[in-house]
Coordinates of all heavy atoms in Angstrom, one line a residue:
M1 N -14.5 -8.4 -3.4 CA -13.8 -7.6 -4.4 C -12.4 -7.8 -4.2 O -11.9 -7.4 -3.2 CB -14.3 -6.2 -4.4 CG -13.7 -5.3 -5.4 SD -14.4 -3.7 -5.4 CE -13.8 -3.0 -4.0
S2 N -11.7 -8.2 -5.1 CA -10.2 -8.3 -5.1 C -9.6 -7.1 -5.6 O -10.0 -6.6 -6.7 CB -9.7 -9.6 -5.8 OG -8.4 -9.6 -5.7
T3 N -8.6 -6.6 -5.0 CA -7.9 -5.4 -5.5 C -6.5 -5.8 -5.9 O -5.5 -4.9 -6.2 CB -7.8 -4.3 -4.5 OG1 -7.1 -4.7 -3.3 CG2 -9.1 -3.7 -4.2
A4 N -6.1 -7.2 -6.0 CA -4.7 -7.6 -6.2 C -4.5 -7.4 -7.7 O -5.4 -7.6 -8.5 CB -4.7 -9.0 -5.8
L5 N -3.3 -7.1 -8.1 CA -2.9 -7.0 -9.4 C -2.3 -8.2 -9.8 O -1.6 -8.9 -9.0 CB -1.8 -5.7 -9.6 CG -2.2 -4.5 -9.2 CD1 -1.1 -3.4 -9.3 CD2 -3.3 -4.0 -10.1
S6 N -2.4 -8.6 -11.1 CA -1.7 -9.7 -11.6 C -0.3 -9.5 -11.7 O 0.3 -8.4 -11.7 CB -2.2 -10.1 -13.0 OG -1.8 -9.1 -13.9
S7 N 0.5 -10.6 -11.7 CA 2.0 -10.5 -11.6 C 2.5 -9.6 -12.8 O 3.4 -8.8 -12.8 CB 2.6 -11.8 -11.6 OG 2.4 -12.5 -10.4
S8 N 1.9 -9.8 -14.0 CA 2.3 -9.2 -15.2 C 2.0 -7.6 -15.1 O 2.8 -6.8 -15.5 CB 1.7 -9.9 -16.4 OG 0.3 -9.7 -16.4
T9 N 0.9 -7.4 -14.5 CA 0.5 -5.9 -14.4 C 1.4 -5.3 -13.3 O 1.9 -4.2 -13.6 CB -1.1 -5.8 -13.9 OG1 -1.8 -6.4 -14.9 CG2 -1.5 -4.4 -13.8
A10 N 1.6 -6.0 -12.3 CA 2.4 -5.2 -11.1 C 3.9 -5.2 -11.4 O 4.5 -4.2 -11.0 CB 2.2 -6.0 -9.9
L11 N 4.4 -6.1 -12.2 CA 5.9 -6.1 -12.4 C 6.2 -5.6 -13.9 O 7.5 -5.4 -13.9 CB 6.3 -7.4 -12.2 CG 6.0 -8.2 -10.9 CD1 6.6 -9.5 -10.8 CD2 6.8 -7.3 -9.8
S12 N 5.4 -5.5 -14.8 CA 5.8 -5.1 -16.0 C 5.8 -3.6 -16.3 O 4.7 -3.0 -16.1 CB 4.9 -5.7 -17.2 OG 5.0 -7.1 -17.2
P13 N 6.8 -2.9 -16.8 CA 6.7 -1.5 -17.0 C 5.8 -1.3 -18.3 O 5.7 -2.2 -19.1 CB 8.2 -1.1 -17.3 CG 9.0 -2.4 -17.7 CD 8.2 -3.5 -17.0
S14 N 5.5 -0.1 -18.5 CA 4.7 0.2 -19.6 C 5.5 -0.1 -20.9 O 6.7 0.1 -21.1 CB 4.3 1.7 -19.6 OG 3.7 2.0 -20.8
T15 N 4.8 -0.7 -21.9 CA 5.4 -1.0 -23.2 C 5.0 -0.1 -24.4 O 5.0 -0.5 -25.4 CB 5.2 -2.4 -23.5 OG1 3.7 -2.6 -23.6 CG2 5.8 -3.4 -22.5
D16 N 4.7 1.2 -24.1 CA 4.5 2.2 -25.1 C 5.5 2.6 -26.1 O 5.3 2.7 -27.2 CB 3.9 3.5 -24.4 CG 2.6 3.3 -23.6 OD1 2.0 2.4 -23.8 OD2 2.4 4.1 -22.8
S17 N 6.7 2.4 -25.6 CA 7.9 2.7 -26.4 C 8.4 1.3 -27.0 O 8.4 0.4 -26.3 CB 9.0 3.5 -25.8 OG 8.5 4.7 -25.4
S18 N 8.9 1.3 -28.2 CA 9.4 0.2 -28.8 C 11.0 0.0 -28.3 O 11.5 0.9 -27.7 CB 9.4 0.3 -30.4 OG 10.3 1.3 -30.8
A19 N 11.5 -1.1 -28.6 CA 12.9 -1.4 -28.2 C 13.8 -0.3 -28.9 O 14.7 0.0 -28.2 CB 13.3 -2.8 -28.5
A20 N 13.4 0.0 -30.1 CA 14.3 1.0 -30.8 C 14.3 2.4 -30.2 O 15.3 2.9 -30.0 CB 13.8 1.0 -32.3
D21 N 13.1 2.7 -29.8 CA 13.0 4.1 -29.1 C 13.8 4.0 -27.8 O 14.5 5.0 -27.4 CB 11.5 4.4 -28.7 CG 10.7 4.6 -30.0 OD1 11.3 4.9 -31.0 OD2 9.4 4.5 -29.8
T22 N 13.8 2.9 -27.1 CA 14.6 2.9 -25.7 C 16.0 2.9 -26.0 O 16.8 3.6 -25.3 CB 14.2 1.5 -25.0 OG1 12.8 1.6 -24.8 CG2 14.9 1.4 -23.8
A23 N 16.5 2.2 -27.1 CA 17.9 2.2 -27.5 C 18.4 3.5 -27.9 O 19.5 3.9 -27.6 CB 18.2 1.1 -28.5
A24 N 17.5 4.3 -28.7 CA 17.9 5.6 -29.2 C 18.0 6.6 -28.2 O 18.7 7.5 -28.3 CB 16.8 5.9 -30.2
D25 N 17.0 6.6 -27.1 CA 17.0 7.6 -26.1 C 16.7 7.1 -24.8 O 15.6 7.2 -24.2 CB 16.1 8.7 -26.4 CG 16.2 10.0 -25.6 OD1 17.1 10.0 -24.7 OD2 15.5 10.9 -25.9
P26 N 17.6 6.4 -24.2 CA 17.4 5.8 -22.8 C 17.0 6.8 -21.7 O 16.2 6.5 -20.9 CB 18.6 4.9 -22.5 CG 19.7 5.4 -23.4 CD 18.9 6.1 -24.6
A27 N 17.5 8.0 -21.9 CA 17.2 9.0 -20.9 C 15.8 9.4 -20.9 O 15.1 9.6 -19.9 CB 18.1 10.2 -21.1
A28 N 15.2 9.5 -22.1 CA 13.8 9.8 -22.3 C 12.9 8.7 -21.7 O 11.9 9.0 -21.1 CB 13.5 10.0 -23.8
R29 N 13.4 7.5 -22.0 CA 12.6 6.3 -21.4 C 12.6 6.3 -19.8 O 11.7 6.0 -19.2 CB 13.2 5.0 -22.0 CG 12.4 3.8 -21.5 CD 10.9 3.8 -22.1 NE 10.3 2.6 -21.6 CZ 9.0 2.5 -21.3 NH1 8.1 3.6 -21.5 NH2 8.4 1.5 -20.9
I30 N 13.9 6.6 -19.4 CA 13.8 6.7 -18.0 C 13.0 7.8 -17.3 O 12.3 7.5 -16.3 CB 15.4 6.9 -17.5 CG1 16.2 5.6 -17.8 CG2 15.5 7.4 -16.0 CD1 17.8 5.8 -17.7
D31 N 13.0 9.0 -18.0 CA 12.1 10.0 -17.5 C 10.7 9.5 -17.5 O 9.9 9.9 -16.6 CB 12.4 11.3 -18.4 CG 13.6 12.0 -18.0 OD1 14.2 11.7 -16.9 OD2 14.1 12.9 -18.9
A32 N 10.2 8.9 -18.6 CA 8.9 8.4 -18.8 C 8.6 7.4 -17.8 O 7.4 7.5 -17.1 CB 8.7 7.8 -20.1
L33 N 9.4 6.5 -17.4 CA 9.2 5.5 -16.4 C 9.1 6.2 -15.0 O 8.3 5.8 -14.2 CB 10.3 4.4 -16.4 CG 10.2 3.5 -17.6 CD1 11.6 2.6 -17.7 CD2 9.0 2.7 -17.5
R34 N 10.0 7.1 -14.8 CA 9.9 7.9 -13.5 C 8.6 8.6 -13.3 O 8.1 8.7 -12.3 CB 11.1 8.8 -13.4 CG 12.4 8.1 -13.1 CD 13.6 9.0 -13.0 NE 14.7 8.2 -12.6 CZ 16.0 8.6 -12.8 NH1 16.2 9.8 -13.4 NH2 17.0 7.8 -12.4
G35 N 8.1 9.2 -14.4 CA 6.6 9.7 -14.5 C 5.8 8.8 -14.0 O 4.8 9.1 -13.3
E36 N 5.8 7.5 -14.5 CA 4.8 6.4 -14.1 C 5.0 6.1 -12.6 O 4.0 6.0 -12.0 CB 5.1 5.2 -15.0 CG 4.7 5.3 -16.4 CD 4.8 4.1 -17.2 OE1 4.4 3.0 -16.6 OE2 5.2 4.1 -18.3
I37 N 6.2 6.1 -12.1 CA 6.5 5.8 -10.7 C 5.8 7.0 -9.8 O 5.1 6.8 -8.8 CB 7.9 5.7 -10.4 CG1 8.5 4.4 -10.9 CG2 8.2 5.9 -8.9 CD1 10.0 4.1 -10.8
D38 N 6.0 8.2 -10.3 CA 5.4 9.4 -9.7 C 4.0 9.3 -9.7 O 3.2 9.5 -8.6 CB 5.8 10.7 -10.3 CG 7.3 11.1 -10.2 OD1 8.0 10.3 -9.3 OD2 7.7 11.8 -10.9
A39 N 3.3 8.8 -10.8 CA 1.7 8.6 -10.7 C 1.5 7.6 -9.8 O 0.5 7.6 -9.1 CB 1.4 8.3 -12.2
C40 N 2.2 6.4 -9.7 CA 1.8 5.3 -8.8 C 2.0 5.8 -7.4 O 1.1 5.5 -6.6 CB 2.9 4.1 -9.0 SG 2.5 3.2 -10.5
D41 N 3.0 6.6 -7.1 CA 3.2 7.2 -5.8 C 2.0 8.0 -5.3 O 1.6 8.0 -4.2 CB 4.6 8.1 -5.7 CG 5.8 7.1 -5.7 OD1 5.6 6.0 -5.6 OD2 6.9 7.7 -6.0
A42 N 1.5 8.9 -6.4 CA 0.4 9.7 -6.0 C -0.9 8.8 -5.6 O -1.5 9.2 -4.8 CB 0.1 10.7 -7.1
E43 N -1.0 7.8 -6.3 CA -2.1 6.9 -6.1 C -1.9 6.1 -4.7 O -3.0 6.0 -3.9 CB -2.2 5.8 -7.2 CG -2.8 6.3 -8.5 CD -2.9 5.2 -9.5 OE1 -3.5 4.2 -9.2 OE2 -2.5 5.4 -10.7
I44 N -0.7 5.7 -4.4 CA -0.5 5.1 -3.1 C -0.7 6.1 -2.0 O -1.4 5.7 -1.0 CB 1.0 4.5 -3.2 CG1 1.2 3.3 -4.1 CG2 1.3 4.1 -1.6 CD1 2.6 2.9 -4.3
I45 N -0.2 7.3 -2.2 CA -0.5 8.2 -1.1 C -2.0 8.5 -0.9 O -2.4 8.4 0.3 CB 0.2 9.6 -1.4 CG1 1.8 9.4 -1.3 CG2 -0.2 10.8 -0.5 CD1 2.6 10.4 -1.9
A46 N -2.8 8.5 -1.9 CA -4.2 8.9 -1.8 C -4.9 7.6 -1.1 O -5.7 7.7 -0.2 CB -4.7 9.1 -3.2
L47 N -4.4 6.4 -1.4 CA -5.0 5.3 -0.9 C -4.7 5.2 0.5 O -5.5 4.9 1.4 CB -4.5 4.0 -1.7 CG -5.2 3.8 -3.0 CD1 -4.6 2.7 -3.8 CD2 -6.7 3.5 -2.9
V48 N -3.4 5.5 0.9 CA -3.0 5.4 2.3 C -3.8 6.5 3.1 O -4.3 6.1 4.3 CB -1.5 5.7 2.5 CG1 -1.1 5.9 3.9 CG2 -0.7 4.5 2.0
Q49 N -4.0 7.6 2.6 CA -4.8 8.7 3.3 C -6.2 8.2 3.5 O -6.7 8.3 4.6 CB -4.8 10.0 2.5 CG -3.4 10.6 2.7 CD -3.3 11.9 1.7 OE1 -4.0 11.9 0.6 NE2 -2.5 12.8 2.2
R50 N -6.9 7.5 2.5 CA -8.1 6.9 2.6 C -8.2 5.9 3.6 O -9.1 5.8 4.5 CB -8.7 6.4 1.2 CG -10.0 5.7 1.2 CD -10.3 5.4 -0.2 NE -11.3 4.4 -0.2 CZ -11.6 3.5 -0.9 NH1 -10.7 3.4 -2.1 NH2 -12.6 2.6 -0.9
R51 N -7.2 5.0 3.6 CA -7.1 3.9 4.6 C -7.0 4.4 6.0 O -7.7 3.9 6.9 CB -6.0 3.0 4.2 CG -5.8 1.7 5.1 CD -4.6 1.0 4.9 NE -4.7 -0.4 5.4 CZ -4.6 -0.7 6.7 NH1 -4.6 0.3 7.6 NH2 -4.7 -1.9 7.0
L52 N -6.2 5.4 6.2 CA -6.1 6.1 7.5 C -7.4 6.6 8.0 O -7.7 6.4 9.2 CB -5.0 7.1 7.5 CG -3.6 6.7 7.2 CD1 -2.6 7.8 7.1 CD2 -3.1 5.5 8.0
A53 N -8.1 7.3 7.2 CA -9.3 8.0 7.6 C -10.3 6.9 8.1 O -11.1 6.9 9.1 CB -10.0 8.8 6.5
I54 N -10.4 5.8 7.2 CA -11.2 4.6 7.5 C -10.9 3.9 8.9 O -11.8 3.6 9.7 CB -11.3 3.7 6.4 CG1 -12.0 4.2 5.2 CG2 -12.1 2.3 6.7 CD1 -11.8 3.4 3.9
S55 N -9.7 3.7 9.0 CA -9.1 3.1 10.3 C -9.4 3.9 11.4 O -9.8 3.4 12.6 CB -7.7 2.8 10.2 OG -7.1 2.3 11.3
Q56 N -9.2 5.2 11.3 CA -9.4 6.1 12.5 C -11.0 6.1 12.8 O -11.3 6.1 14.0 CB -9.0 7.5 12.2 CG -7.4 7.5 12.3 CD -6.9 8.7 11.7 OE1 -7.5 9.6 11.1 NE2 -5.5 8.9 11.9
E57 N -11.9 6.1 11.8 CA -13.3 6.0 12.1 C -13.7 4.9 12.8 O -14.5 4.7 13.6 CB -14.1 6.2 10.8 CG -15.5 6.2 11.0 CD -16.3 6.4 9.8 OE1 -15.8 6.8 8.7 OE2 -17.6 6.4 9.8
I58 N -13.1 3.5 12.3 CA -13.3 2.3 13.0 C -13.0 2.4 14.4 O -13.8 2.0 15.4 CB -12.7 1.1 12.3 CG1 -13.3 0.9 10.9 CG2 -12.7 -0.2 13.0 CD1 -12.5 0.0 10.0
G59 N -11.8 3.0 14.7 CA -11.4 3.0 16.1 C -12.2 3.8 17.0 O -12.5 3.5 18.1
S60 N -12.7 5.0 16.4 CA -13.6 5.8 17.1 C -15.0 5.2 17.3 O -15.4 5.3 18.4 CB -13.9 7.2 16.3 OG -12.7 7.9 16.2
L61 N -15.4 4.4 16.4 CA -16.7 3.8 16.5 C -16.5 2.6 17.6 O -17.5 2.4 18.5 CB -17.2 3.1 15.2 CG -17.7 4.2 14.3 CD1 -17.8 3.5 13.0 CD2 -19.0 4.7 14.8
R62 N -15.4 1.9 17.6 CA -15.2 0.8 18.6 C -15.1 1.3 20.0 O -15.8 0.8 20.9 CB -14.0 0.0 18.2 CG -14.1 -0.8 16.9 CD -12.8 -1.6 16.6 NE -12.3 -2.3 17.7 CZ -12.6 -3.6 17.9 NH1 -13.4 -4.2 17.0 NH2 -12.0 -4.3 18.8
T63 N -14.5 2.4 20.2 CA -14.2 3.1 21.4 C -15.7 3.6 21.8 O -16.0 3.4 23.1 CB -13.2 4.1 21.4 OG1 -11.9 3.6 21.0 CG2 -13.0 4.8 22.8
A64 N -16.3 4.3 21.0 CA -17.6 4.8 21.5 C -18.7 3.8 21.8 O -19.5 4.2 22.7 CB -18.2 5.8 20.2
S65 N -18.6 2.7 21.2 CA -19.4 1.6 21.6 C -19.0 0.7 22.7 O -19.5 -0.4 23.1 CB -19.7 0.8 20.4 OG -18.7 0.0 20.0
G66 N -17.9 1.2 23.3 CA -17.4 0.5 24.5 C -16.4 -0.6 24.3 O -15.9 -1.4 25.1
G67 N -16.1 -0.8 23.0 CA -15.1 -1.8 22.7 C -13.6 -1.3 22.8 O -13.4 -0.1 23.1
M68 N -12.7 -2.2 22.5 CA -11.3 -1.8 22.5 C -11.0 -1.0 21.1 O -11.7 -1.3 20.2 CB -10.4 -3.1 22.5 CG -10.5 -3.7 23.9 SD -9.5 -5.2 23.9 CE -7.9 -4.6 23.6
R69 N -10.1 -0.2 21.2 CA -9.7 0.6 20.0 C -9.2 -0.2 18.8 O -9.4 0.2 17.8 CB -8.5 1.6 20.5 CG -8.2 2.7 19.4 CD -7.4 3.7 20.0 NE -6.2 3.3 20.7 CZ -5.0 3.2 20.4 NH1 -4.7 3.5 19.1 NH2 -4.0 2.6 21.0
L70 N -8.7 -1.3 19.1 CA -8.0 -2.2 18.1 C -8.4 -3.6 18.3 O -8.7 -4.1 19.4 CB -6.5 -2.0 17.9 CG -5.7 -2.2 19.1 CD1 -5.1 -3.6 19.1 CD2 -4.6 -1.2 19.4
S71 N -8.1 -4.4 17.2 CA -8.3 -5.9 17.3 C -7.1 -6.5 16.9 O -6.7 -6.4 15.7 CB -9.5 -6.2 16.4 OG -9.5 -7.5 16.1
L72 N -6.5 -7.2 17.9 CA -5.2 -7.8 17.5 C -5.3 -8.9 16.5 O -4.4 -9.1 15.6 CB -4.5 -8.4 18.9 CG -4.1 -7.2 19.7 CD1 -3.4 -7.9 21.0 CD2 -3.2 -6.3 19.1
S73 N -6.5 -9.6 16.5 CA -6.6 -10.6 15.5 C -6.8 -10.2 14.2 O -6.2 -10.6 13.1 CB -7.8 -11.7 15.9 OG -9.0 -10.9 15.9
R74 N -7.4 -9.0 14.1 CA -7.5 -8.3 12.7 C -6.2 -7.9 12.3 O -5.9 -8.0 11.1 CB -8.5 -7.2 12.9 CG -8.6 -6.1 11.7 CD -9.2 -6.8 10.5 NE -9.2 -5.7 9.4 CZ -9.3 -5.9 8.2 NH1 -9.4 -7.2 7.8 NH2 -9.2 -5.0 7.2
E75 N -5.5 -7.3 13.2 CA -4.1 -6.8 12.7 C -3.2 -7.9 12.3 O -2.5 -7.8 11.3 CB -3.4 -6.0 13.9 CG -4.1 -4.6 14.1 CD -3.3 -3.8 15.1 OE1 -2.1 -4.2 15.5 OE2 -3.7 -2.6 15.3
Q76 N -3.3 -9.1 12.9 CA -2.6 -10.2 12.5 C -3.0 -10.6 11.1 O -2.1 -11.1 10.3 CB -2.6 -11.3 13.6 CG -2.0 -11.1 14.8 CD -0.4 -10.9 14.6 OE1 0.2 -11.5 13.9 NE2 0.0 -9.8 15.3
R77 N -4.2 -10.6 10.8 CA -4.7 -11.0 9.4 C -4.2 -10.0 8.4 O -3.8 -10.4 7.3 CB -6.3 -11.1 9.4 CG -6.8 -12.3 10.1 CD -8.3 -12.5 9.9 NE -9.2 -11.3 10.0 CZ -9.8 -11.0 11.3 NH1 -9.6 -11.8 12.4 NH2 -10.5 -10.0 11.3
V78 N -4.1 -8.7 8.7 CA -3.7 -7.7 7.8 C -2.2 -8.0 7.6 O -1.7 -7.9 6.4 CB -3.9 -6.3 8.4 CG1 -3.2 -5.2 7.6 CG2 -5.5 -6.0 8.4
L79 N -1.4 -8.2 8.6 CA 0.0 -8.4 8.5 C 0.3 -9.6 7.6 O 1.2 -9.7 6.8 CB 0.7 -8.5 9.9 CG 0.7 -7.2 10.6 CD1 1.2 -7.3 12.1 CD2 1.6 -6.0 9.9
S80 N -0.4 -10.6 8.0 CA -0.2 -11.9 7.2 C -0.5 -11.7 5.6 O 0.2 -12.2 4.9 CB -1.2 -13.0 7.7 OG -1.1 -14.2 7.0
R81 N -1.6 -11.0 5.3 CA -1.9 -10.6 3.9 C -0.8 -9.8 3.3 O -0.5 -10.3 2.1 CB -3.2 -9.8 3.9 CG -3.8 -9.6 2.5 CD -5.2 -9.0 2.4 NE -5.2 -7.8 3.2 CZ -6.1 -7.6 4.2 NH1 -6.8 -8.6 4.6 NH2 -6.2 -6.5 4.8
F82 N -0.2 -8.9 4.0 CA 0.9 -8.1 3.5 C 2.2 -8.9 3.2 O 2.8 -9.0 2.2 CB 1.3 -6.9 4.3 CG 0.4 -5.7 4.0 CD1 -0.9 -5.6 4.4 CD2 0.8 -4.7 3.0 CE1 -1.8 -4.5 4.1 CE2 0.0 -3.6 2.7 CZ -1.2 -3.5 3.3
R83 N 2.4 -9.8 4.1 CA 3.6 -10.7 4.2 C 3.4 -11.7 3.0 O 4.3 -11.9 2.2 CB 3.8 -11.4 5.6 CG 5.1 -12.3 5.6 CD 5.3 -13.0 6.9 NE 4.0 -13.6 7.5 CZ 3.3 -13.1 8.5 NH1 3.7 -11.9 9.0 NH2 2.3 -13.7 8.9
D84 N 2.3 -12.2 2.8 CA 2.0 -13.2 1.8 C 2.1 -12.7 0.3 O 2.7 -13.3 -0.5 CB 0.6 -13.9 2.0 CG 0.5 -14.7 3.2 OD1 1.5 -15.1 3.8 OD2 -0.6 -15.1 3.5
A85 N 1.7 -11.4 0.3 CA 1.6 -10.8 -1.0 C 3.1 -10.3 -1.4 O 3.6 -10.1 -2.5 CB 0.6 -9.6 -1.1
L86 N 3.7 -9.6 -0.3 CA 5.0 -8.8 -0.6 C 6.3 -9.4 0.1 O 7.3 -8.9 -0.1 CB 4.8 -7.5 -0.1 CG 3.6 -6.7 -0.8 CD1 3.4 -5.4 -0.1 CD2 3.8 -6.5 -2.3
G87 N 6.2 -10.5 0.8 CA 7.4 -11.0 1.5 C 7.6 -10.3 2.8 O 6.7 -9.6 3.3
P88 N 8.7 -10.6 3.3 CA 9.1 -10.0 4.7 C 8.9 -8.5 4.8 O 8.5 -8.0 5.7 CB 10.5 -10.4 4.9 CG 10.8 -11.5 4.1 CD 9.9 -11.3 2.8
D89 N 9.3 -7.8 3.7 CA 9.1 -6.4 3.7 C 7.5 -6.0 3.7 O 7.2 -4.9 4.2 CB 9.7 -5.7 2.6 CG 11.3 -5.6 2.7 OD1 11.8 -5.7 3.8 OD2 12.0 -5.4 1.7
G90 N 6.8 -6.9 3.3 CA 5.4 -6.7 3.3 C 4.8 -6.5 4.8 O 4.0 -5.6 5.1
S91 N 5.3 -7.2 5.6 CA 5.0 -7.2 7.1 C 5.4 -5.8 7.7 O 4.7 -5.1 8.4 CB 5.8 -8.2 7.9 OG 5.3 -9.6 7.7
T92 N 6.5 -5.3 7.3 CA 7.0 -3.9 7.7 C 6.1 -2.9 7.2 O 5.7 -1.9 8.0 CB 8.4 -3.7 7.3 OG1 9.2 -4.7 7.7 CG2 8.9 -2.4 7.7
L93 N 5.7 -3.0 5.9 CA 4.7 -2.0 5.4 C 3.3 -2.1 5.9 O 2.8 -1.1 6.3 CB 4.6 -2.3 3.8 CG 3.5 -1.4 3.0 CD1 4.0 0.1 3.2 CD2 3.6 -1.8 1.6
G94 N 2.9 -3.3 6.3 CA 1.6 -3.5 6.9 C 1.7 -2.8 8.3 O 0.7 -2.3 8.7
M95 N 2.7 -3.2 9.1 CA 2.9 -2.5 10.4 C 3.0 -1.1 10.4 O 2.2 -0.5 11.1 CB 4.0 -3.1 11.1 CG 4.3 -2.7 12.5 SD 2.8 -3.0 13.6 CE 3.1 -4.8 13.9
M96 N 3.5 -0.5 9.4 CA 3.5 1.0 9.3 C 2.2 1.5 8.9 O 1.7 2.6 9.6 CB 4.4 1.4 8.1 CG 4.7 3.0 7.9 SD 3.4 3.8 7.0 CE 3.3 2.8 5.4
L97 N 1.4 0.9 8.2 CA 0.0 1.2 7.8 C -0.9 1.1 9.2 O -1.7 2.1 9.5 CB -0.5 0.5 6.7 CG 0.0 0.8 5.3 CD1 -0.5 -0.2 4.4 CD2 -0.3 2.3 4.9
L98 N -0.7 0.1 9.8 CA -1.5 -0.1 11.0 C -1.1 1.0 12.1 O -2.1 1.5 12.8 CB -1.3 -1.5 11.6 CG -1.8 -2.6 10.8 CD1 -1.2 -4.0 11.4 CD2 -3.3 -2.6 10.8
R99 N 0.1 1.3 12.3 CA 0.6 2.3 13.3 C 0.0 3.5 12.8 O -0.3 4.4 13.7 CB 2.0 2.2 13.4 CG 2.6 2.9 14.5 CD 4.1 2.8 14.7 NE 4.8 2.5 13.6 CZ 5.6 1.3 13.5 NH1 5.5 0.3 14.3 NH2 6.2 1.2 12.4
Q100 N -0.1 3.8 11.6 CA -0.5 5.2 11.1 C -2.0 5.3 11.4 O -2.4 6.5 11.8 CB -0.3 5.4 9.5 CG 1.1 5.5 9.2 CD 1.6 6.9 9.4 OE1 0.9 7.9 9.1 NE2 2.8 7.1 10.0
G101 N -2.8 4.3 11.3 CA -4.1 4.3 11.6 C -4.6 4.3 12.9 O -5.6 4.9 13.3
R102 N -3.8 3.6 13.8 CA -4.3 3.6 15.3 C -3.2 4.1 16.2 O -3.5 4.3 17.3 CB -4.5 2.1 15.6 CG -3.2 1.2 15.3 CD -2.9 0.4 16.5 NE -2.1 -0.7 16.0 CZ -0.7 -0.7 16.2 NH1 -0.1 0.4 16.4 NH2 0.0 -1.9 15.9
G103 N -2.2 4.6 15.7 CA -1.0 5.0 16.6 C -0.2 4.0 17.2 O -0.5 2.8 17.0
R104 N 0.8 4.3 17.9 CA 1.7 3.4 18.5 C 0.9 2.7 19.7 O 0.1 3.5 20.4 CB 3.0 4.0 19.0 CG 3.9 4.4 17.8 CD 5.3 4.9 18.4 NE 6.1 5.3 17.2 CZ 6.8 4.5 16.5 NH1 6.8 3.1 16.7 NH2 7.6 4.9 15.5
L105 N 1.3 1.5 20.0 CA 0.6 0.9 21.2 C 1.4 1.3 22.4 O 2.4 1.5 22.5 CB 0.7 -0.6 21.0 CG -0.1 -1.2 19.8 CD1 0.0 -2.7 19.7 CD2 -1.5 -0.9 19.9

């Protein structure tokens, strides 16, 4: 199952307002777009919280079964996926998510 967004979906702002509406009241359009950003942020926060809970459960299961708490090869694949999708800053974001889930090394 792929959760990747298409380029047009990920990069295009909502087009509910016409160009005339935007020219007539740019402040209202900015407020509307900021509302969309706030909604995206809420979704991102919920997804990060879900990811952290899953990651912590994996770490607990690995430790309880005698394994290591983390898998460096898995972490490298995660970082690579973020870098490929988002560029250099993607690696930073991926590392932050990994650190949140497993703690600092």
